[in-house]
Amino acid sequence: MNALDNRCWLCERPLGRKVQQHHTVPKAKKGRTTVAVHPICHRAIHANFTNAQLARIGEDRAALLEDEALAKFVDWVSDKPPDFHAPTRRPK
């Protein structure tokens, strides 16, 4: 059993009642592998990256976190409860 089985792939907080499966390579780009994420984290990923970018990055979480806006989001959400919800803003 993986240590992150009950944790979000992106923010590493414990998962709550609502869990979504994120395709590390989008289905539109023939991706099959999924990881468990909070809905808010899933929206943040797709708000900051195109499918083409996600296809190039794949399962490299560290590469996603090199993006300043996403790293800032992960830092902000780090102390929120597992089922925390807030609107996701797209970068300007």
Side-chain angles (χ1 to χ4, degrees), residues 1 5 17-18 33 36 45-46 55 57 64 77 79 81-82:
M1 181 181 253
D5 282 345
R17 292 185 311 272
K18 293 184 180 181
T33 304
I45 291 168
H46 287 285
I57 294 168
L64 287 179
V77 82
D79 63 351

Side-chain angles (χ1 to χ4, degrees), residues 32-51:
R32 301 215 187 292
T33 304
T34 61
V35 292
V37 293
H38 297 105
I40 193 170
C41 294
H42 200 194
R43 286 190 305 277
I45 291 168
H46 287 285
N48 287 285
F49 295 93
T50 65
N51 279 352

Side-chain angles (χ1 to χ4, degrees), residues 5-76:
D5 282 345
N6 292 316
R7 294 192 173 271
C8 176
W9 177 77
L10 180 66
C11 74
E12 298 182 337
R13 293 179 299 136
L15 291 167
R17 292 185 311 272
K18 293 184 180 181
V19 177
Q20 293 182 349
Q21 294 298 313
H22 167 65
H23 284 82
T24 52
V25 173
K27 287 192 304 186
K29 302 288 185 181
K30 308 290 188 222
R32 301 215 187 292
T33 304
T34 61
V35 292
V37 293
H38 297 105
I40 193 170
C41 294
H42 200 194
R43 286 190 305 277
I45 291 168
H46 287 285
N48 287 285
F49 295 93
T50 65
N51 279 352
Q53 290 170 314
L54 291 172
R56 284 191 300 274
I57 294 168
E59 295 182 39
D60 190 352
R61 178 183 172 273
L64 287 179
L65 294 175
E66 288 175 9
D67 179 79
E68 186 178 343
L70 192 62
K72 187 175 178 180
F73 164 80
V74 169
D75 184 54
W76 172 77

